[in-house]
Amino acid sequence: LVVFLAYVVLLVISLLGTSNKRFSKKAINISILIMFLLSVFKDGSQMPDHNVYKSAYYLSNNGERLPSLEFSYALISRFFGPFGSIGFNLVLMFYSAIFLLTFRKILLKFPESGPSSILLFYSNAFLIFGLIQIRAGAALALIYSTILIDERNFKKYFKWIASVFLHVSSIIFIPLKFIRKTTIKKRTAVLFLIIAFGVSQLILPLVKLIIDFIPISYIQSKALTYMLEERMQSLKLNFLGPNFLLRFVLFIIFVRFWNSFKSTTERILLYFYIIGFYTYIALSSIPEVAFRIANSLFLAEVFLIPIVVSRIKQTKARFIIIALYSGFQLIVNVLFTSYFNYTT
C-alpha cells in the first residue's frame, strides 16, 4: 500500500514539475528525498535480500561474515555497528545515498523530461535497486555516472573501483566503458536480435564449459548457484509474458525512432537498452542472470521513453502516456513478481 501511495504523491509532484519548468529541479529533489526515506525506513520483511542483509549486518558485528556477500558489506556494517540496531538503517542509508544522489545528477542532465522520468525510475529501477538489490543499485549508479558524465580519468577510475568494491559483479560491465566510441546502426540492431535468439539455444552448455575457468571464486560460486536446476525452473523466462512483451514493444519503438536519439548521451542509453534486450533473450536459459544483467541496462528506458514521447506536441498527452506506462509497470512489479510477495 505504501508503495502505491508514494507513487500517487510522486505523480502529483511530477505533474507540477512537468507543467512548471521553474519547479522542475525541485520536483526531482523532492522525489529523490521521498524515495530515500522509503529505502531507509522500509519494512522489508516480504522483500528478497532484506533479511539476508539484516542477518549479515549482525553477523559482521559479531566477527563473522556471510560468504555470499562481498567483504565490503561486512566492512560497512562494522563501521556502523556501534550504533546498534539503528546501524542497519545507516547501512541502508549509505547504499541508498549513493544510488539516488548519483542518479539525481544524471536526471538533472535532462531538465525537460526529468520530472516525468521520476515516475519511470520509481516504478521499476527504484523498486529493484533502491529497495531490494541495494548493493547492485549503488554500484550500477556509479557505472552509469562514469559512462554518461564526462569527468577526469582519475574520477572515472575511482568510480569503477568503487563499483566493484560495492558489488563485485560490476566487473562484467567494464566493457561498456568503450560504448561511447561505438556506433550501432538500425539494421545491425535488428540483425543482432535474431542472433540473440540463436545464442539462447547454445548459451547454457557454453557457460557450463567455461565456468571452471572463471578466475574469481566469488563470481564462480554465484554462477553455479544461478544455474541450479530448481532456480532456473522457478524463474523461467516466458516469451509470451507481460515483462517480455513490454520490453519487446519498447525495443520496436526505440528502433523505429532510432534517429530521435541524437546526442552522445542519448545514443549510449539507447545502446544500453538494446544490449540489455539482447542479454535478456540470449541468456534466457539462465533466467536469473538474464534478469539481473538486463534490468541493469533496462534502466536506460527512464531517459529513452520521454525522448520518444517528446515527439507528441501536447504536454498533457506526453505526461498521461508516461503515467500510464509507469503505473502499469508498478502494478506488474508489485502484484505479479516476487519483489513484494517473497517468502522464505
Side-chain angles (χ1 to χ4, degrees):
L1 181 62
V2 174
V3 173
F4 287 111
L5 287 174
Y7 177 78
V8 172
V9 174
L10 293 176
L11 189 68
V12 174
I13 294 170
S14 178
L15 179 60
L16 292 172
T18 303
S19 57
N20 185 350
K21 290 184 179 180
R22 287 180 299 177
F23 188 66
S24 176
K25 187 175 179 179
K26 287 182 180 178
I28 292 172
N29 289 337
I30 293 170
S31 299
I32 291 294
L33 176 61
I34 290 170
M35 286 186 272
F36 179 73
L37 294 173
L38 274 176
S39 61
V40 174
F41 299 106
K42 67 191 175 192
D43 172 19
S45 57
Q46 291 183 305
M47 294 181 190
D49 298 347
H50 183 80
N51 289 330
V52 174
Y53 288 138
K54 201 166 189 176
S55 298
Y57 169 77
Y58 288 108
L59 280 172
S60 298
N61 285 290
N62 287 325
E64 301 177 59
R65 184 172 78 86
L66 275 183
S68 59
L69 298 182
E70 294 88 355
F71 174 72
S72 60
Y73 185 83
L75 200 65
I76 293 163
S77 294
R78 288 174 189 172
F79 179 80
F80 291 111
F83 295 94
S85 60
I86 297 174
F88 177 63
N89 293 98
L90 295 176
V91 171
L92 296 179
M93 186 182 293
F94 173 83
Y95 283 98
S96 181
I98 295 173
F99 175 63
L100 292 172
L101 292 179
T102 305
F103 270 109
R104 171 189 170 275
K105 189 175 181 180
I106 299 172
L107 284 165
L108 290 173
K109 285 176 65 70
F110 299 85
E112 292 187 6
S113 61
S116 55
S117 291
I118 281 291
L119 295 177
L120 298 167
F121 180 76
Y122 175 81
S123 65
N124 193 56
F126 173 71
L127 297 187
I128 298 172
F129 299 112
L131 295 181
I132 300 168
Q133 299 171 16
I134 58 172
R135 291 156 35 247
L140 192 62
L142 295 176
I143 291 169
Y144 268 73
S145 174
T146 300
I147 296 171
L148 295 178
I149 301 173
D150 284 321
E151 293 171 334
R152 295 179 208 170
N153 285 333
F154 172 77
K155 202 168 185 179
K156 282 189 174 186
Y157 290 130
F158 173 78
K159 284 185 177 181
W160 275 111
I161 293 168
S163 69
V164 175
F165 173 74
L166 293 172
H167 202 279
V168 72
S169 63
S170 299
I171 290 171
I172 66 174
F173 292 110
I174 288 178
L176 291 177
K177 72 189 292 288
F178 302 106
I179 206 166
R180 182 175 285 274
K181 298 178 181 179
T182 303
T183 301
I184 301 175
K185 295 181 179 179
K186 187 191 290 190
R187 289 182 180 179
T188 307
V190 176
L191 175 63
F192 273 103
L193 176 63
I194 298 168
I195 293 172
F197 278 105
V199 171
S200 67
Q201 304 302 312
L202 306 170
I203 196 70
L204 190 57
L206 183 63
V207 170
K208 286 179 178 179
L209 188 67
I210 66 172
I211 202 165
D212 290 334
F213 297 98
I214 297 175
I216 302 174
S217 59
Y218 173 79
I219 295 179
Q220 188 183 68
S221 64
K222 276 283 187 184
L224 288 169
T225 301
Y226 293 146
M227 291 175 68
L228 291 172
E229 188 64 29
E230 58 268 26
R231 288 186 75 143
M232 291 196 293
Q233 289 301 319
S234 64
L235 291 167
K236 203 167 184 179
L237 195 153
N238 180 8
F239 286 126
L240 295 176
N243 269 323
F244 179 82
L245 292 176
L246 195 65
R247 303 301 175 192
F248 184 60
V249 169
L250 282 178
F251 176 87
I252 292 172
I253 292 172
F254 293 152
V255 170
R256 168 66 180 81
F257 295 103
W258 195 267
N259 294 328
S260 297
F261 307 103
K262 297 175 181 178
S263 72
T264 301
T265 300
E266 290 172 1
R267 284 279 174 170
I268 291 171
L269 289 166
L270 175 62
Y271 297 163
F272 273 18
Y273 189 91
I274 297 299
I275 293 169
F277 192 61
Y278 296 154
T279 305
Y280 198 51
I281 296 167
L283 298 180
S284 57
S285 55
I286 318 171
E288 197 162 354
V289 176
F291 290 142
R292 285 177 179 266
I293 296 175
N295 278 332
S296 299
L297 298 173
F298 285 157
L299 203 153
E301 72 181 27
V302 169
F303 309 98
L304 296 175
I305 292 174
I307 293 169
V308 173
V309 174
S310 68
R311 297 172 66 89
I312 301 171
K313 292 182 180 180
Q314 295 84 359
T315 304
K316 288 182 180 178
R318 294 200 298 264
F319 183 80
I320 289 170
I321 290 171
I322 289 174
L324 287 174
Y325 176 83
S326 58
F328 173 76
Q329 197 168 52
L330 179 68
I331 291 169
V332 170
N333 279 329
V334 175
L335 302 181
F336 299 101
T337 70
S338 63
Y339 295 148
F340 293 86
N341 303 282
Y342 184 75
T343 55
T344 54

mmCIF file of all heavy atoms in Angstrom, residues 165-193:
data_model
loop_
_atom_site.group_PDB
_atom_site.id
_atom_site.type_symbol
_atom_site.label_atom_id
_atom_site.label_comp_id
_atom_site.label_asym_id
_atom_site.label_seq_id
_atom_site.Cartn_x
_atom_site.Cartn_y
_atom_site.Cartn_z
ATOM 1 N N PHE A 165 34.015 -2.647 -5.697
ATOM 2 C CA PHE A 165 34.111 -2.791 -4.238
ATOM 3 C C PHE A 165 32.721 -3.024 -3.634
ATOM 4 O O PHE A 165 32.547 -3.864 -2.748
ATOM 5 C CB PHE A 165 34.741 -1.523 -3.652
ATOM 6 C CG PHE A 165 34.755 -1.471 -2.142
ATOM 7 C CD1 PHE A 165 35.638 -2.246 -1.406
ATOM 8 C CD2 PHE A 165 33.871 -0.630 -1.463
ATOM 9 C CE1 PHE A 165 35.648 -2.192 -0.008
ATOM 10 C CE2 PHE A 165 33.876 -0.572 -0.081
ATOM 11 C CZ PHE A 165 34.766 -1.353 0.646
ATOM 12 N N LEU A 166 31.729 -2.305 -4.137
ATOM 13 C CA LEU A 166 30.364 -2.421 -3.609
ATOM 14 C C LEU A 166 29.653 -3.674 -4.098
ATOM 15 O O LEU A 166 28.837 -4.251 -3.388
ATOM 16 C CB LEU A 166 29.546 -1.184 -4.006
ATOM 17 C CG LEU A 166 29.971 0.131 -3.370
ATOM 18 C CD1 LEU A 166 29.229 1.297 -3.995
ATOM 19 C CD2 LEU A 166 29.735 0.115 -1.859
ATOM 20 N N HIS A 167 29.948 -4.076 -5.345
ATOM 21 C CA HIS A 167 29.309 -5.272 -5.921
ATOM 22 C C HIS A 167 30.251 -5.835 -6.972
ATOM 23 O O HIS A 167 30.400 -5.263 -8.053
ATOM 24 C CB HIS A 167 27.956 -4.908 -6.541
ATOM 25 C CG HIS A 167 27.032 -6.084 -6.663
ATOM 26 N ND1 HIS A 167 27.133 -6.985 -7.695
ATOM 27 C CD2 HIS A 167 25.994 -6.507 -5.890
ATOM 28 C CE1 HIS A 167 26.179 -7.907 -7.555
ATOM 29 N NE2 HIS A 167 25.483 -7.646 -6.454
ATOM 30 N N VAL A 168 30.868 -6.963 -6.657
ATOM 31 C CA VAL A 168 31.950 -7.481 -7.487
ATOM 32 C C VAL A 168 31.511 -7.821 -8.908
ATOM 33 O O VAL A 168 32.313 -7.775 -9.846
ATOM 34 C CB VAL A 168 32.593 -8.724 -6.807
ATOM 35 C CG1 VAL A 168 31.661 -9.929 -6.872
ATOM 36 C CG2 VAL A 168 33.943 -9.047 -7.430
ATOM 37 N N SER A 169 30.226 -8.122 -9.103
ATOM 38 C CA SER A 169 29.752 -8.452 -10.445
ATOM 39 C C SER A 169 29.784 -7.252 -11.391
ATOM 40 O O SER A 169 29.559 -7.388 -12.598
ATOM 41 C CB SER A 169 28.334 -9.027 -10.395
ATOM 42 O OG SER A 169 27.429 -8.070 -9.882
ATOM 43 N N SER A 170 30.089 -6.071 -10.856
ATOM 44 C CA SER A 170 30.240 -4.879 -11.704
ATOM 45 C C SER A 170 31.332 -5.072 -12.741
ATOM 46 O O SER A 170 31.358 -4.364 -13.764
ATOM 47 C CB SER A 170 30.572 -3.653 -10.845
ATOM 48 O OG SER A 170 29.542 -3.385 -9.931
ATOM 49 N N ILE A 171 32.210 -6.020 -12.494
ATOM 50 C CA ILE A 171 33.307 -6.307 -13.434
ATOM 51 C C ILE A 171 32.769 -6.600 -14.828
ATOM 52 O O ILE A 171 33.378 -6.213 -15.832
ATOM 53 C CB ILE A 171 34.160 -7.497 -12.922
ATOM 54 C CG1 ILE A 171 34.960 -7.070 -11.682
ATOM 55 C CG2 ILE A 171 35.092 -8.031 -14.000
ATOM 56 C CD1 ILE A 171 35.669 -8.208 -10.982
ATOM 57 N N ILE A 172 31.626 -7.289 -14.899
ATOM 58 C CA ILE A 172 31.105 -7.684 -16.214
ATOM 59 C C ILE A 172 30.639 -6.483 -17.039
ATOM 60 O O ILE A 172 30.470 -6.601 -18.262
ATOM 61 C CB ILE A 172 29.936 -8.698 -16.089
ATOM 62 C CG1 ILE A 172 28.712 -8.046 -15.423
ATOM 63 C CG2 ILE A 172 30.375 -9.943 -15.337
ATOM 64 C CD1 ILE A 172 27.500 -8.934 -15.413
ATOM 65 N N PHE A 173 30.459 -5.322 -16.392
ATOM 66 C CA PHE A 173 30.012 -4.132 -17.121
ATOM 67 C C PHE A 173 31.172 -3.260 -17.605
ATOM 68 O O PHE A 173 30.938 -2.259 -18.294
ATOM 69 C CB PHE A 173 29.077 -3.295 -16.244
ATOM 70 C CG PHE A 173 27.759 -3.953 -15.952
ATOM 71 C CD1 PHE A 173 27.455 -4.404 -14.672
ATOM 72 C CD2 PHE A 173 26.823 -4.145 -16.962
ATOM 73 C CE1 PHE A 173 26.234 -5.018 -14.403
ATOM 74 C CE2 PHE A 173 25.603 -4.763 -16.704
ATOM 75 C CZ PHE A 173 25.315 -5.204 -15.425
ATOM 76 N N ILE A 174 32.397 -3.620 -17.253
ATOM 77 C CA ILE A 174 33.560 -2.817 -17.647
ATOM 78 C C ILE A 174 33.641 -2.620 -19.167
ATOM 79 O O ILE A 174 33.980 -1.520 -19.628
ATOM 80 C CB ILE A 174 34.863 -3.425 -17.085
ATOM 81 C CG1 ILE A 174 34.910 -3.192 -15.562
ATOM 82 C CG2 ILE A 174 36.101 -2.818 -17.751
ATOM 83 C CD1 ILE A 174 36.115 -3.781 -14.862
ATOM 84 N N PRO A 175 33.336 -3.644 -19.990
ATOM 85 C CA PRO A 175 33.376 -3.415 -21.445
ATOM 86 C C PRO A 175 32.478 -2.277 -21.920
ATOM 87 O O PRO A 175 32.712 -1.696 -22.988
ATOM 88 C CB PRO A 175 32.905 -4.762 -22.026
ATOM 89 C CG PRO A 175 33.293 -5.761 -20.997
ATOM 90 C CD PRO A 175 33.088 -5.062 -19.680
ATOM 91 N N LEU A 176 31.466 -1.916 -21.124
ATOM 92 C CA LEU A 176 30.565 -0.831 -21.520
ATOM 93 C C LEU A 176 31.273 0.518 -21.571
ATOM 94 O O LEU A 176 30.762 1.460 -22.193
ATOM 95 C CB LEU A 176 29.383 -0.747 -20.551
ATOM 96 C CG LEU A 176 28.361 -1.898 -20.592
ATOM 97 C CD1 LEU A 176 27.304 -1.695 -19.519
ATOM 98 C CD2 LEU A 176 27.702 -2.003 -21.955
ATOM 99 N N LYS A 177 32.437 0.621 -20.924
ATOM 100 C CA LYS A 177 33.171 1.884 -20.946
ATOM 101 C C LYS A 177 33.627 2.254 -22.356
ATOM 102 O O LYS A 177 33.920 3.412 -22.653
ATOM 103 C CB LYS A 177 34.374 1.822 -19.995
ATOM 104 C CG LYS A 177 35.524 0.957 -20.469
ATOM 105 C CD LYS A 177 36.589 0.753 -19.393
ATOM 106 C CE LYS A 177 37.335 2.023 -19.081
ATOM 107 N NZ LYS A 177 38.255 2.431 -20.176
ATOM 108 N N PHE A 178 33.653 1.264 -23.263
ATOM 109 C CA PHE A 178 34.074 1.533 -24.641
ATOM 110 C C PHE A 178 32.896 1.884 -25.556
ATOM 111 O O PHE A 178 33.090 2.147 -26.736
ATOM 112 C CB PHE A 178 34.802 0.312 -25.209
ATOM 113 C CG PHE A 178 36.010 -0.094 -24.409
ATOM 114 C CD1 PHE A 178 35.973 -1.231 -23.597
ATOM 115 C CD2 PHE A 178 37.170 0.667 -24.435
ATOM 116 C CE1 PHE A 178 37.074 -1.599 -22.845
ATOM 117 C CE2 PHE A 178 38.283 0.310 -23.678
ATOM 118 C CZ PHE A 178 38.236 -0.828 -22.883
ATOM 119 N N ILE A 179 31.682 1.874 -24.991
ATOM 120 C CA ILE A 179 30.490 2.072 -25.820
ATOM 121 C C ILE A 179 30.393 3.491 -26.366
ATOM 122 O O ILE A 179 29.751 3.736 -27.392
ATOM 123 C CB ILE A 179 29.223 1.701 -25.020
ATOM 124 C CG1 ILE A 179 28.110 1.269 -25.987
ATOM 125 C CG2 ILE A 179 28.767 2.836 -24.123
ATOM 126 C CD1 ILE A 179 26.956 0.581 -25.314
ATOM 127 N N ARG A 180 31.025 4.438 -25.699
ATOM 128 C CA ARG A 180 30.995 5.834 -26.148
ATOM 129 C C ARG A 180 31.578 5.977 -27.556
ATOM 130 O O ARG A 180 31.163 6.852 -28.325
ATOM 131 C CB ARG A 180 31.767 6.713 -25.153
ATOM 132 C CG ARG A 180 31.763 8.192 -25.480
ATOM 133 C CD ARG A 180 32.450 8.964 -24.371
ATOM 134 N NE ARG A 180 31.604 9.055 -23.199
ATOM 135 C CZ ARG A 180 30.680 9.988 -23.014
ATOM 136 N NH1 ARG A 180 30.462 10.905 -23.942
ATOM 137 N NH2 ARG A 180 29.973 10.017 -21.911
ATOM 138 N N LYS A 181 32.538 5.122 -27.890
ATOM 139 C CA LYS A 181 33.193 5.209 -29.201
ATOM 140 C C LYS A 181 32.591 4.231 -30.215
ATOM 141 O O LYS A 181 33.141 4.031 -31.300
ATOM 142 C CB LYS A 181 34.691 4.931 -29.036
ATOM 143 C CG LYS A 181 35.405 5.933 -28.138
ATOM 144 C CD LYS A 181 36.865 5.580 -27.966
ATOM 145 C CE LYS A 181 37.557 6.583 -27.040
ATOM 146 N NZ LYS A 181 38.989 6.242 -26.827
ATOM 147 N N THR A 182 31.470 3.602 -29.840
ATOM 148 C CA THR A 182 30.845 2.591 -30.694
ATOM 149 C C THR A 182 29.654 3.177 -31.451
ATOM 150 O O THR A 182 28.939 4.028 -30.936
ATOM 151 C CB THR A 182 30.349 1.405 -29.838
ATOM 152 O OG1 THR A 182 31.458 0.882 -29.098
ATOM 153 C CG2 THR A 182 29.770 0.310 -30.715
ATOM 154 N N THR A 183 29.469 2.712 -32.680
ATOM 155 C CA THR A 183 28.309 3.111 -33.478
ATOM 156 C C THR A 183 27.542 1.858 -33.891
ATOM 157 O O THR A 183 28.107 0.940 -34.486
ATOM 158 C CB THR A 183 28.741 3.884 -34.738
ATOM 159 O OG1 THR A 183 29.471 5.057 -34.353
ATOM 160 C CG2 THR A 183 27.515 4.299 -35.553
ATOM 161 N N ILE A 184 26.276 1.819 -33.540
ATOM 162 C CA ILE A 184 25.412 0.698 -33.923
ATOM 163 C C ILE A 184 24.325 1.236 -34.846
ATOM 164 O O ILE A 184 23.620 2.188 -34.491
ATOM 165 C CB ILE A 184 24.761 0.028 -32.684
ATOM 166 C CG1 ILE A 184 25.842 -0.484 -31.727
ATOM 167 C CG2 ILE A 184 23.846 -1.122 -33.118
ATOM 168 C CD1 ILE A 184 25.285 -1.055 -30.426
ATOM 169 N N LYS A 185 24.191 0.644 -36.004
ATOM 170 C CA LYS A 185 23.168 1.078 -36.957
ATOM 171 C C LYS A 185 21.866 0.316 -36.709
ATOM 172 O O LYS A 185 21.858 -0.757 -36.127
ATOM 173 C CB LYS A 185 23.658 0.858 -38.388
ATOM 174 C CG LYS A 185 24.864 1.730 -38.745
ATOM 175 C CD LYS A 185 25.307 1.506 -40.182
ATOM 176 C CE LYS A 185 26.498 2.404 -40.524
ATOM 177 N NZ LYS A 185 26.963 2.189 -41.916
ATOM 178 N N LYS A 186 20.769 0.879 -37.221
ATOM 179 C CA LYS A 186 19.444 0.299 -37.011
ATOM 180 C C LYS A 186 19.380 -1.142 -37.538
ATOM 181 O O LYS A 186 18.880 -2.037 -36.861
ATOM 182 C CB LYS A 186 18.379 1.147 -37.691
ATOM 183 C CG LYS A 186 16.953 0.702 -37.390
ATOM 184 C CD LYS A 186 15.934 1.392 -38.283
ATOM 185 C CE LYS A 186 15.801 2.851 -37.956
ATOM 186 N NZ LYS A 186 14.642 3.476 -38.666
ATOM 187 N N ARG A 187 19.889 -1.369 -38.730
ATOM 188 C CA ARG A 187 19.853 -2.709 -39.321
ATOM 189 C C ARG A 187 20.649 -3.705 -38.481
ATOM 190 O O ARG A 187 20.257 -4.857 -38.313
ATOM 191 C CB ARG A 187 20.403 -2.674 -40.744
ATOM 192 C CG ARG A 187 19.480 -1.985 -41.746
ATOM 193 C CD ARG A 187 20.080 -2.032 -43.136
ATOM 194 N NE ARG A 187 19.216 -1.371 -44.107
ATOM 195 C CZ ARG A 187 19.512 -1.245 -45.385
ATOM 196 N NH1 ARG A 187 20.656 -1.730 -45.862
ATOM 197 N NH2 ARG A 187 18.681 -0.622 -46.211
ATOM 198 N N THR A 188 21.779 -3.242 -37.970
ATOM 199 C CA THR A 188 22.619 -4.099 -37.127
ATOM 200 C C THR A 188 21.875 -4.488 -35.854
ATOM 201 O O THR A 188 21.968 -5.628 -35.392
ATOM 202 C CB THR A 188 23.922 -3.365 -36.754
ATOM 203 O OG1 THR A 188 24.554 -2.892 -37.940
ATOM 204 C CG2 THR A 188 24.875 -4.277 -36.008
ATOM 205 N N ALA A 189 21.125 -3.535 -35.296
ATOM 206 C CA ALA A 189 20.358 -3.797 -34.077
ATOM 207 C C ALA A 189 19.341 -4.907 -34.298
ATOM 208 O O ALA A 189 19.180 -5.796 -33.458
ATOM 209 C CB ALA A 189 19.650 -2.519 -33.620
ATOM 210 N N VAL A 190 18.664 -4.878 -35.440
ATOM 211 C CA VAL A 190 17.671 -5.905 -35.761
ATOM 212 C C VAL A 190 18.343 -7.250 -36.017
ATOM 213 O O VAL A 190 17.870 -8.299 -35.573
ATOM 214 C CB VAL A 190 16.829 -5.484 -36.996
ATOM 215 C CG1 VAL A 190 15.867 -6.600 -37.392
ATOM 216 C CG2 VAL A 190 16.064 -4.203 -36.693
ATOM 217 N N LEU A 191 19.487 -7.227 -36.711
ATOM 218 C CA LEU A 191 20.227 -8.457 -37.010
ATOM 219 C C LEU A 191 20.678 -9.149 -35.729
ATOM 220 O O LEU A 191 20.533 -10.366 -35.577
ATOM 221 C CB LEU A 191 21.444 -8.132 -37.895
ATOM 222 C CG LEU A 191 22.390 -9.300 -38.212
ATOM 223 C CD1 LEU A 191 21.667 -10.383 -39.016
ATOM 224 C CD2 LEU A 191 23.617 -8.810 -38.974
ATOM 225 N N PHE A 192 21.190 -8.358 -34.782
ATOM 226 C CA PHE A 192 21.655 -8.937 -33.524
ATOM 227 C C PHE A 192 20.514 -9.504 -32.689
ATOM 228 O O PHE A 192 20.722 -10.407 -31.881
ATOM 229 C CB PHE A 192 22.440 -7.902 -32.714
ATOM 230 C CG PHE A 192 23.895 -7.849 -33.068
ATOM 231 C CD1 PHE A 192 24.408 -6.832 -33.858
ATOM 232 C CD2 PHE A 192 24.756 -8.837 -32.626
ATOM 233 C CE1 PHE A 192 25.753 -6.789 -34.197
ATOM 234 C CE2 PHE A 192 26.106 -8.818 -32.947
ATOM 235 C CZ PHE A 192 26.604 -7.785 -33.743
ATOM 236 N N LEU A 193 19.315 -8.978 -32.877
ATOM 237 C CA LEU A 193 18.153 -9.528 -32.181
ATOM 238 C C LEU A 193 17.906 -10.966 -32.633
ATOM 239 O O LEU A 193 17.654 -11.858 -31.813
ATOM 240 C CB LEU A 193 16.915 -8.670 -32.466
ATOM 241 C CG LEU A 193 15.592 -9.177 -31.870
ATOM 242 C CD1 LEU A 193 15.660 -9.198 -30.352
ATOM 243 C CD2 LEU A 193 14.430 -8.314 -32.339
#
